[in-house]
Amino acid sequence: MVLKQRDYARRAPGTLGGVRVLDLSRLFAGNLLTQILGDFGAEVIKVEPPAGDTLRAWRTNGVSTHWKAYARNKKSLCLELRKPRARELLLDLVPGASLFIESFRPGTLEAMGLGPDVLMERNERLVVVRISGWGQDGPYRRRPGFGSLVEGMSGFAAINGFADREPVLPPMYLADAVAGLYGASAAMIALREVEKNGGRGQVIDLALLDPLFAVLGPQAAHYRLTGKVKPRTGSRSTNTAPRNVYRCKDGRFVALSASTQKMAERTFRAIGRSDLIADPRYRSNAERVERAAELDAIIGAFIAERTQAENVAFFEQAEVTIGPIYDTAQILEDRHVIERELLADYPDDEMGAFPMQHVVPRLLGTPGSIRAPAPKLGEHNRELLGLDRDAYAALARAGVVAQGEAKPGDEE
């Protein structure tokens, strides 16, 4: 793999320049939300406890890879918010902020004396994004808001996996990621209201449950119409066929999706089975779905005679929608990935070069940029607080601020 070598575009402009974000969130949803804003020029201030953001503790071979990836373009302010003076310092920053992001358990912010009413007394235009597992109200609001619990309760796990096996949770932070993406758009919508109408700020109640449930689509309508819940079907679809993952001669896999009538017919011709087009058992999509296992056996036998690369080349030539199932090692060697620069190597003090994901989405007129690496804990304390050396030293001695290595501790 040969990635393009990139330095940080330190002076790159951003369309969100002038938007200051106070980010008190932990773990993934809030960090993804503010990474998106930071990539497009917002000044994102991570307000961390002495233990640091939890992502700092997610290490691979001693390296905080998640922190490096999702804390780029951010500044670190380390405050011990259990001390009154630290809360005063935070409130002093509120008048100049556009967004305030938090992910404490509902009620915790109010107990700290930092509820939305207090914040908006300091800045009536402030938009407050409150991330939680289940929402700020409702009978489950005080439950731990871990994404795995949401992925289970949302209905996602129930339809993920194979019918003869247990439900499968995603192998990554899906609920948090979906919430982070929804949260970034919600923040922009709320800021647009302030800008357009000169209006007051508002609170965004961003529960992990709501966005993940929303993207699962019309499951409730299907249940009401049929009285049946959607079964687990592995990689098959309950809506179209053929559609599945198939094993190749070399032990690798391809994904084939012939979800339109023309594509199904094209697939049958490609594998030398034009007779299936007129066969009453496979003539329509509804009939093909009923006999998906039979179709999988026919198509799978054809695919099993060729390697992954041979299958992709063959079916692409036949204009059939097919693609390889890649692992990480393969995707990093893919010429499309390299040419599109989904990753680039950025200077890193621990790894020498860190493969950083590209800014997404790609705005061709006003693109985002990676302007700075993930900050060290408390790296920007003095800059943000505007204190002279002696005043800052006094706060450090009192345990109000901290800087350097994260200090493990309890956190709500």
Side-chain angles (χ1 to χ4, degrees), residues 365-387:
T366 55
S369 61
I370 302 176
R371 301 181 305 283
K376 294 179 173 59
L377 183 65
E379 180 179 341
H380 302 91
N381 284 354
R382 284 191 62 194
E383 171 195 334
L384 295 168
L385 297 177
L387 300 172

Side-chain angles (χ1 to χ4, degrees), residues 4 105-106 182 196 369:
K4 184 171 182 179
R105 190 178 295 194
Y182 266 83
K196 181 179 178 182
S369 61

Side-chain angles (χ1 to χ4, degrees), residues 13 28 88 118 131 136 145 148 181 189 234-235 242 268 306 311 347 410:
F28 191 71
E88 292 172 6
V118 175
I131 304 169
Q136 297 299 312
S148 297
L181 295 170
I189 292 168
S235 295
F268 296 153
R306 294 160 179 78
N311 275 303
D410 296 331

